Amino acid sequence: MTPRRNEHRDNPEYFTPIYKMALAQFEQAADKLSLDPNLRKRFTDPKRAIMVNIPIRLDDASVEVFHGYRVHHDTTLGPSKGGIRFHPDVNLGEVSALAMWMTWKCALMGLPFGGAKGGVRCDPHALSRNELQRLTRRFTAEIIRFIGPEMDVPAPDIGTNEQIMAWMMDTYSQFKGYSIPGIVTGKPINIGGSLGRTEATGRGVVFCIMEAMRHLKMTPEGKKIVIQGFGNVGANTAQIIDEEGCQVIAVSDVKSGIYNPNGLDIIALRAHVEKTQFVEGFTESEPIGNKDLLELTCDVLVPAALSEQITRDNAERISCKILAEAANGPTTLAADKILQDRGLFLIPDILANAGGVTVSYFEWVQGLQNFFWKEQEINERLREIVCSAFNNVLQLSLTEKVDMRLAALMLSVQKIAKAKLARGLFP
Ligand code: GLU
């Protein structure tokens, strides 16, 4: 261990349990790569972290102040990239961990981006549309010096969507005096969004699952799938994997879960959710709690909700062959070890859910060039990138005899480490 010049580094504000988890994952990769200690130090802290207070007028004319964050973890390979989360649990540690994962995710996919994440601590469901718009615009104004098509490019995440991105793009453009579509990705198509972006994360999850099945000599037909979460990622994963011939037997959302051992009709379920907002009350299904849902016997389990869902407490009872991490950080370190010992095939988050940021990259490029691609082209390029990343990770995991998460992290860390060495240290 190298002596630390700065003792306060041992306890920075963002050093929360989830950040420690991200850091410990990185350190496993750094150890395995025997990473130069000088480089190691440069990865362990975010490059910059911006904290803002966001005052907005509520509909009842009172003023409320919300806490917002934008963290840039690394910018070695290009502008930083990552979503904006609106959720009551958002804090500096969580956003910093998510920013670090974005760095690894972009590097693994070969995208010319660093990693970032942002968020506002709020309950978006408790705010009116007008309140959400004011919150989004004021937040954008507060962080405006730190974002830009060449600097840092936000996107949707939990609790945000294409409407929020449209407001961010408009606010940024108003400040600059002309339209700048490249400031965010995940925008509506009619203001420069990309075809296929909405489905991209789910599509990437399914590409990875299909590759994993091929490796494990399984065929998709009739395979039982369980999905925790039915937001953008969960719902699109469900629909696309259903089209591959699998059977989605259970899904859940923030409120409750539903189960049908013979498979759910996903198109009808999406129509039900469109109408009622929740999966609850869907015909031809029985209710199931979150805990039981995660422990159902199935072929593929897809956590597509929040972090830290598979822990030391339930890892022994997870009963799937493939675990595809559509969410960021759904498996804790202790659970990782248990799952690995039990021989489950895990597709780590930075690989499984990287389809979203990959099509964000396509959207950014299309916006910069004002030249738009066909959906088929987008999906084909996505398949190429995701499948080749999957196979690179798989090969390294087999040759180095490490699990898929460690292999993915090793590839990412090594890539950025080499880039840092090539660029040198300023001044
Ligand atoms: N929020 C998404 C993620 O965690 C997408 C990020 C992006 O498209 O920039 O990967």
Side-chain angles (χ1 to χ4, degrees), residues 145-211:
R145 288 172 206 79
F146 303 98
I147 55 174
E150 278 87 37
M151 186 174 189
D152 175 37
V153 186
D157 196 78
I158 292 171
T160 56
N161 54 26
E162 60 172 39
Q163 178 59 74
I164 306 271
M165 293 306 115
W167 290 328
M168 288 194 83
M169 180 268 194
D170 185 66
T171 306
Y172 187 83
S173 300
Q174 297 299 339
F175 270 77
K176 300 288 166 184
Y178 50 92
S179 293
I180 307 176
I183 175 60
V184 290
T185 59
K187 312 178 276 297
I189 309 274
N190 59 12
I191 56 167
S194 176
L195 295 168
R197 173 63 185 88
T198 312
E199 303 80 20
T201 311
R203 198 174 291 285
V205 172
V206 177
F207 286 151
C208 286
I209 295 171
M210 292 301 123
E211 291 299 299

Side-chain angles (χ1 to χ4, degrees), residues 254-373:
V254 278
K255 210 166 157 196
S256 60
I258 55 170
Y259 171 54
N260 180 341
N262 300 315
L264 297 158
D265 178 343
I266 300 299
I267 303 286
L269 175 60
R270 291 195 80 173
H272 170 83
V273 172
E274 183 76 31
K275 222 168 38 201
T276 66
Q277 252 191 299
F278 299 104
V279 299
E280 188 176 55
F282 181 62
T283 49
E284 289 181 36
S285 71
E286 52 186 270
I288 185 166
N290 186 47
K291 182 176 169 296
D292 293 338
L293 176 128
L294 288 173
E295 295 172 13
L296 277 174
T297 298
C298 60
D299 295 288
V300 185
L301 174 64
V302 184
L306 293 167
S307 58
E308 298 168 290
Q309 298 299 303
I310 300 164
T311 64
R312 143 188 352 263
D313 298 332
N314 62 1
E316 285 292 356
R317 293 188 301 280
I318 298 296
S319 178
C320 61
K321 297 190 182 78
I322 298 171
L323 176 68
E325 295 187 327
N328 289 308
T331 312
T332 64
L333 290 172
D336 248 349
K337 174 91 183 63
I338 299 171
L339 298 179
Q340 198 191 344
D341 291 346
R342 292 184 50 212
L344 263 75
F345 189 87
L346 184 140
I347 311 171
D349 47 7
I350 59 170
L351 173 62
N353 70 33
V357 73
T358 302
V359 177
S360 275
Y361 165 61
F362 299 160
E363 179 174 334
W364 180 73
V365 168
Q366 292 171 83
L368 294 180
Q369 300 188 335
N370 286 307
F371 178 71
F372 291 88
W373 313 346

Side-chain angles (χ1 to χ4, degrees), residues 211-219 223:
E211 291 299 299
M213 284 189 178
R214 202 198 319 268
H215 167 64
L216 298 171
K217 306 209 175 1
M218 293 162 70
T219 50
K223 292 294 176 299

